[in-house]
Amino acid sequence: PFSAHTRALVTDNSVGFGKVLADESTGKILGVHIMGPNAGEMIAEGVLAMEYGASSEDVARTCHAHPTLSEVFGEACMDVHDKPIHI
Protein backbone atom coordinates (compact mmCIF):
# COMPACT_ATOMS: atom_id res chain seq x y z
CA PRO A 1 0.00 0.00 0.00
CA PHE A 2 1.07 3.59 -0.57
CA SER A 3 0.64 4.18 3.17
CA ALA A 4 3.81 2.12 3.80
CA HIS A 5 6.04 4.56 1.88
CA THR A 6 7.61 7.75 3.18
CA ARG A 7 7.02 9.92 0.09
CA ALA A 8 3.33 9.05 0.04
CA LEU A 9 2.99 9.86 3.73
CA VAL A 10 4.81 13.21 3.71
CA THR A 11 2.95 14.41 0.60
CA ASP A 12 -0.41 13.31 2.00
CA ASN A 13 -0.90 10.84 -0.87
CA SER A 14 -1.07 7.64 1.13
CA VAL A 15 -4.24 6.16 -0.40
CA GLY A 16 -3.50 3.59 -3.09
CA PHE A 17 -1.69 0.35 -3.83
CA GLY A 18 0.42 -1.50 -6.35
CA LYS A 19 -0.05 -5.15 -7.28
CA VAL A 20 1.97 -7.36 -9.60
CA LEU A 21 0.57 -10.52 -11.17
CA ALA A 22 3.28 -13.03 -12.01
CA ASP A 23 3.51 -16.58 -13.30
CA GLU A 24 3.81 -18.91 -10.32
CA SER A 25 6.60 -21.05 -11.76
CA THR A 26 8.71 -18.51 -13.68
CA GLY A 27 7.92 -15.25 -11.92
CA LYS A 28 7.37 -13.57 -15.30
CA ILE A 29 5.24 -10.45 -14.87
CA LEU A 30 1.83 -10.97 -16.48
CA GLY A 31 0.06 -7.81 -15.31
CA VAL A 32 0.27 -4.80 -13.04
CA HIS A 33 -2.34 -2.87 -11.07
CA ILE A 34 -1.49 0.56 -9.66
CA MET A 35 -4.12 2.76 -8.09
CA GLY A 36 -3.18 6.03 -6.46
CA PRO A 37 -1.31 9.27 -7.07
CA ASN A 38 1.02 9.26 -10.10
CA ALA A 39 -0.18 5.77 -11.12
CA GLY A 40 -0.09 6.84 -14.75
CA GLU A 41 3.61 7.57 -14.46
CA MET A 42 4.48 4.48 -12.45
CA ILE A 43 2.74 2.03 -14.78
CA ALA A 44 5.51 2.63 -17.34
CA GLU A 45 7.93 0.51 -15.30
CA GLY A 46 5.49 -2.39 -15.38
CA VAL A 47 4.95 -2.03 -19.12
CA LEU A 48 8.70 -2.01 -19.72
CA ALA A 49 9.17 -5.09 -17.54
CA MET A 50 6.42 -6.95 -19.37
CA GLU A 51 7.72 -5.91 -22.80
CA TYR A 52 11.16 -7.35 -22.04
CA GLY A 53 9.87 -10.46 -20.26
CA ALA A 54 11.20 -9.50 -16.84
CA SER A 55 10.36 -11.51 -13.77
CA SER A 56 9.11 -9.97 -10.56
CA GLU A 57 12.46 -10.90 -9.01
CA ASP A 58 14.31 -8.96 -11.74
CA VAL A 59 12.37 -5.82 -10.85
CA ALA A 60 12.55 -6.44 -7.10
CA ARG A 61 16.36 -6.55 -7.31
CA THR A 62 16.43 -3.24 -9.20
CA CYS A 63 17.19 -0.17 -7.08
CA HIS A 64 14.16 2.07 -6.58
CA ALA A 65 15.13 5.53 -5.35
CA HIS A 66 14.10 6.48 -1.82
CA PRO A 67 11.91 8.29 -0.99
CA THR A 68 9.83 8.05 -4.17
CA LEU A 69 6.44 6.69 -5.07
CA SER A 70 8.13 4.30 -7.52
CA GLU A 71 9.13 2.25 -4.49
CA VAL A 72 5.53 1.02 -4.49
CA PHE A 73 6.19 -0.98 -7.68
CA GLY A 74 9.44 -2.47 -6.37
CA GLU A 75 7.68 -3.39 -3.14
CA ALA A 76 4.84 -5.05 -5.06
CA CYS A 77 7.40 -7.17 -6.92
CA MET A 78 8.98 -8.19 -3.61
CA ASP A 79 5.53 -9.06 -2.29
CA VAL A 80 5.15 -11.65 -5.08
CA HIS A 81 7.87 -13.58 -3.22
CA ASP A 82 6.47 -12.78 0.25
CA LYS A 83 9.48 -10.55 1.00
CA PRO A 84 8.18 -6.97 1.15
CA ILE A 85 10.24 -4.53 3.19
CA HIS A 86 7.63 -1.99 4.30
CA ILE A 87 4.50 -4.10 4.69
Side-chain angles (χ1 to χ4, degrees), residues 1-2 16-22 29-47 50 69-77 79-80:
F2 277 42
F17 70 93
K19 180 178 180 178
V20 172
L21 306 173
I29 297 175
L30 304 174
V32 177
H33 301 270
I34 301 177
M35 298 183 73
N38 298 331
E41 296 170 13
M42 289 189 288
I43 198 74
E45 185 176 4
V47 171
M50 290 172 61
L69 291 177
S70 69
E71 288 178 285
V72 170
F73 187 69
E75 188 88 10
C77 286
D79 193 34
V80 169

Side-chain angles (χ1 to χ4, degrees), residues 6-70:
T6 306
R7 176 62 64 103
L9 293 173
V10 300
T11 59
D12 199 27
N13 289 310
S14 60
V15 177
F17 70 93
K19 180 178 180 178
V20 172
L21 306 173
D23 182 89
E24 191 172 356
S25 60
T26 65
K28 182 177 178 180
I29 297 175
L30 304 174
V32 177
H33 301 270
I34 301 177
M35 298 183 73
N38 298 331
E41 296 170 13
M42 289 189 288
I43 198 74
E45 185 176 4
V47 171
L48 183 65
M50 290 172 61
E51 182 66 27
Y52 285 95
S55 71
S56 54
E57 183 178 0
D58 293 333
V59 177
R61 291 178 177 268
T62 303
C63 181
H64 290 82
H66 175 76
T68 64
L69 291 177
S70 69

